[in-house]
Amino acid sequence: MDTKPVETYGIGELLGRARERAVPVLRGIPDTALSAPTPCAEYDVKVLVNHLFQVIVQFQRLAAKEASDFGETPDRVAGSPEWRERLLDEAGRLVAAWSAPGAEEGTTGAMNMPARLVGSMALLDLTVHVWDLATATGQDHPGADEAVVAQLCGAVDELAPTARKMGVFGEPVPEAEGASEFERLLARTGRDPYGK
């Protein structure tokens, strides 16, 4: 059990922990499941994987205080049987980018948001979308690291009002008695952690 305050963990370290838990899920996605629905109503598995690729690549640029482009999402899955390993390689680059000196300092992105909060957005996508993909493909999800969940709870509190207005988060799902912190986090982003 982690006893350090969450703010003492670097975003790069937390992204590394999230990537480690993502490895078996991403490698376990069968090609036959690419058209399956996911908990993100507008995305099937393939579209969600491409979205996650886009997030991971663009948030590397944000870590370096470079301009990002979330306009068009390229199809990095079609015709590329090694897409799983390429996605994990890009996630490794994301960890490195947010572990670089100065990545969490100042502001970044078009809205000049605090860099640590922007890094937390990448962490949220890598954590929650991996749960989405595990759920969509019938895999067991390895859960989320305690320090990762603690960081994300604070970030979701800060992001939720705007994210709901923009349709990024759904309305919160009622939390079951005895729910884990990770299940509570999923519920606060509009996901039903107890079923699809």
Side-chain angles (χ1 to χ4, degrees):
M1 181 170 168
D2 290 316
T3 55
K4 292 195 317 188
V6 69
E7 59 275 4
T8 62
Y9 290 94
I11 292 296
E13 180 183 355
L14 297 175
L15 282 164
R17 293 179 179 203
R19 181 195 178 278
E20 192 176 305
R21 293 188 184 224
V23 169
V25 173
L26 296 177
R27 285 184 176 154
I29 297 172
D31 286 336
T32 52
L34 290 174
S35 60
T38 72
C40 300
E42 68 275 25
Y43 294 158
D44 64 16
V45 168
K46 180 182 171 187
V47 174
L48 184 55
V49 167
N50 278 318
H51 168 73
L52 188 57
F53 251 118
Q54 178 77 335
V55 165
I56 285 172
V57 169
Q58 296 304 320
F59 274 83
Q60 292 171 38
R61 300 175 72 172
L62 290 168
K65 312 295 193 284
E66 296 172 1
S68 59
D69 179 6
F70 288 95
E72 191 170 325
T73 301
D75 187 350
R76 293 177 168 97
V77 174
S80 174
E82 70 283 352
W83 63 263
R84 296 163 189 82
E85 295 310 312
R86 286 194 304 110
L87 178 54
L88 290 168
D89 287 347
E90 290 294 350
R93 290 187 188 94
L94 180 71
V95 173
W98 282 97
S99 299
E104 292 185 42
E105 295 170 10
T107 60
T108 190
M111 295 192 296
N112 282 318
M113 295 172 69
R116 186 172 171 93
L117 182 61
V118 172
S120 296
M121 292 165 70
L123 181 63
L124 182 65
D125 271 32
L126 185 57
T127 301
V128 170
H129 285 326
V130 167
W131 178 86
D132 292 331
L133 290 166
T135 301
T137 57
Q139 299 185 63
D140 288 332
H141 187 272
D145 183 274
E146 188 178 327
V148 168
V149 174
Q151 175 64 33
L152 291 179
C153 284
V156 166
D157 285 345
E158 197 164 340
L159 296 167
T162 303
R164 287 204 179 93
K165 278 184 202 158
M166 294 172 65
V168 177
F169 291 175
E171 287 303 311
V173 170
E175 298 168 7
E177 190 176 336
S180 70
E181 287 304 312
F182 183 52
E183 289 169 340
R184 291 178 194 282
L185 175 72
L186 292 169
R188 286 161 58 206
T189 65
R191 288 162 172 82
D192 181 358
Y194 316 107
K196 293 186 184 180

